[in-house]
Amino acid sequence: MNNNPIGLYDSGFGGLSVWRELHRALPNESLIYLGDGKNCPYGSRPAEQIRQLAEQAVGDLLQRGCKMVVVACNTATAAAIVHLREKFADVPIVGLEPAIKPACRMTKTKVVGVIATERSLQGEKFLSTLARYGEGVEVIKSVGEGWVEAVEQSEEHTAKTELAVRRVVEPIIERGADVLVLGCTHYPFLKDVVCRVVGDRNVAVIDSGEAVEKRVESLLDEYDLRANEDNQPRLEFVTYADKQYCDRLRQKAMQGL
Ligand code: DGL
């Protein structure tokens, strides 16, 4: 048993999609969410720079006493997870990966679309997972241009955002995809818009939120780190940006709970 918090880290608001899954499934766990905010977006930054940002962030979460850290960012996972696990070897660190494996199992048309940041789509782990599970499947890789910015600016429901979503999603569906993978933690906040663009075409839209939550639970058990049932959880939000950003993180986390 351990009542210390679980830390979550993302470039900004995206990891809150993972935060919600964790808070729903593990309501007695304290959570500290670190949304960088100052250096967002990470998507097209060089890998080395992302590694440095991630090392600082995970180090800060551990300073705050976190018993486990979830890198709730596909981009930071792609660039830094191996380094983070070496550097902070005493603490379980969970990463996020696009849901390639379930997508390749689900598809009937044998065409799958993966939407993620530029950096994630170049990640070694992504490419090796693709090679492993993508045999016989055409995987169309696309960057969600403007999607992260839309979520950061709370502009999920504007006409401009719908256009940005349509521009990415339409060509993938036209090529016959029946599964779309949202491979960036910001994108689940655009799921309604993606589904509206998909309309009544038979296309599944999936992300990694639930799989990560299950992984966290299994590590809590493996390391005997679950909080007591009567633990009064603390929900903290921190950022390298300003106070207003921090308030917005909290508000967004609480929306729809
Ligand atoms: N939320 C992030 C991800 O999962 C990063 C988005 C960004 O900062 O570009 O990839």
Side-chain angles (χ1 to χ4, degrees):
M1 290 287 169
N2 185 322
N3 287 343
N4 284 6
I6 299 173
L8 293 98
Y9 155 61
D10 179 51
S11 61
F13 287 92
L16 293 172
S17 59
V18 178
W19 184 96
R20 284 187 189 173
E21 297 278 348
L22 286 195
H23 183 54
R24 239 182 244 134
L26 301 163
N28 60 327
E29 293 289 345
S30 291
L31 303 174
I32 303 185
Y33 184 89
L34 169 52
D36 178 334
K38 193 169 156 196
N39 303 289
C40 187
Y42 283 10
S44 30
R45 288 181 185 275
E48 180 50 35
Q49 204 181 94
I50 299 170
R51 264 195 289 281
Q52 285 169 14
L53 293 168
E55 182 179 325
Q56 184 192 348
V58 173
D60 287 350
L61 285 170
L62 296 178
Q63 285 278 320
R64 290 169 180 269
C66 291
K67 60 185 173 187
M68 180 190 290
V69 173
V70 181
V71 180
C73 175
N74 295 75
T75 308
T77 300
I81 197 83
V82 175
H83 173 70
L84 294 172
R85 288 188 178 134
E86 272 168 21
K87 175 95 193 162
F88 306 110
D90 299 343
V91 183
I93 300 183
V94 179
L96 251 283
E97 277 167 42
I100 295 289
K101 190 170 139 189
C104 289
R105 286 190 175 154
M106 274 167 86
T107 178
K108 295 204 169 60
T109 60
K110 299 290 169 205
V111 184
V112 158
V114 180
I115 309 166
T117 67
E118 195 185 325
R119 178 63 48 215
S120 294
L121 293 173
Q122 291 164 355
E124 250 169 63
K125 187 75 198 304
F126 173 75
L127 296 171
S128 66
T129 309
L130 203 58
R132 189 150 163 221
Y133 298 102
E135 218 194 303
V137 177
E138 184 193 352
V139 177
I140 304 165
K141 292 171 267 176
S142 300
V143 174
E145 282 306 341
W147 293 23
V148 168
E149 290 80 354
V151 174
E152 287 293 312
Q153 285 148 22
S154 300
E155 285 179 356
E156 286 92 334
H157 300 293
T158 66
K160 184 177 157 208
T161 300
E162 178 152 342
L163 188 63
V165 168
R166 195 172 288 283
R167 273 203 186 112
V168 176
V169 167
E170 268 314 330
I172 303 177
I173 299 181
E174 274 163 24
R175 284 172 65 184
D178 62 350
V179 185
L180 290 180
V181 177
L182 303 181
C184 165
T185 54
H186 279 73
Y187 299 172
F189 288 109
L190 295 171
K191 191 166 177 177
D192 287 356
V193 189
V194 173
C195 288
R196 199 160 57 235
V197 168
V198 166
D200 58 7
R201 292 173 286 189
N202 212 358
V203 177
V205 181
I206 63 171
D207 61 62
S208 315
E210 203 184 315
V212 172
E213 187 282 308
K214 294 271 169 297
R215 178 73 187 138
V216 167
E217 284 208 53
S218 88
L219 285 170
L220 287 174
D221 289 333
E222 190 180 324
Y223 289 82
D224 191 23
L225 289 174
R226 278 191 192 257
N228 286 323
E229 270 171 31
D230 59 359
N231 182 44
Q232 295 294 314
R234 278 187 301 125
L235 301 175
E236 260 186 77
F237 297 86
V238 289
T239 182
Y240 300 129
D242 57 14
K243 158 117 184 22
Q244 194 196 0
Y245 192 86
C246 197
D247 293 343
R248 289 179 59 218
L249 283 175
R250 177 178 290 275
Q251 275 162 19
K252 197 166 185 83
M254 301 302 167
Q255 267 164 25
L257 274 184

